[in-house]
Amino acid sequence: MKFRPLHDRVLVRRVESVEKTAGGIIIPDTAKEKPQEGEVLAVGAGNKAEDGKVTPLDVKAGDRILFGKWSGTEVRVDGEDLLIMKESDILGIIEGAASGSKKKVA
């Protein structure tokens, strides 16, 4: 199925966190928090102003982003749990982070 968000909404896949601490302790699923980092899968066309002009979004498909703990609405698309959120819920774009890498942001 193809899915395209409308207006200023973004479709995001959560990036799973590391399951071990730096000291080698394995974190059980019950103690993990939901990750606040994700990969943008699809974006809407943008915000429409009163005069009809559309302002494109700052994020694009493939960007790694940070978002708030309670941001977005969880949806299931093709059996995968994803998030739909407004662009304003996105805190920032992680520059230079390749998809799937486990870099820390300071």
Side-chain angles (χ1 to χ4, degrees), residues 29-93:
D29 288 339
T30 55
K32 287 184 196 172
E33 289 188 20
K34 289 185 178 180
Q36 293 176 277
E37 186 176 327
E39 178 184 3
V40 176
L41 300 178
V43 297
N47 287 322
K48 189 178 272 191
E50 288 182 25
D51 62 359
K53 289 185 179 179
V54 176
T55 306
L57 303 181
D58 290 331
V59 296
K60 61 187 179 310
D63 283 348
R64 293 277 301 250
I65 59 166
L66 289 177
F67 50 87
K69 185 177 268 190
W70 309 109
S71 297
T73 301
E74 292 185 2
V75 295
R76 185 172 281 269
V77 178
D78 287 338
E80 184 177 11
D81 291 327
L82 303 172
L83 289 170
I84 295 178
M85 64 181 69
K86 289 189 169 248
E87 185 186 37
S88 60
D89 291 338
I90 297 173
L91 303 175
I93 299 171

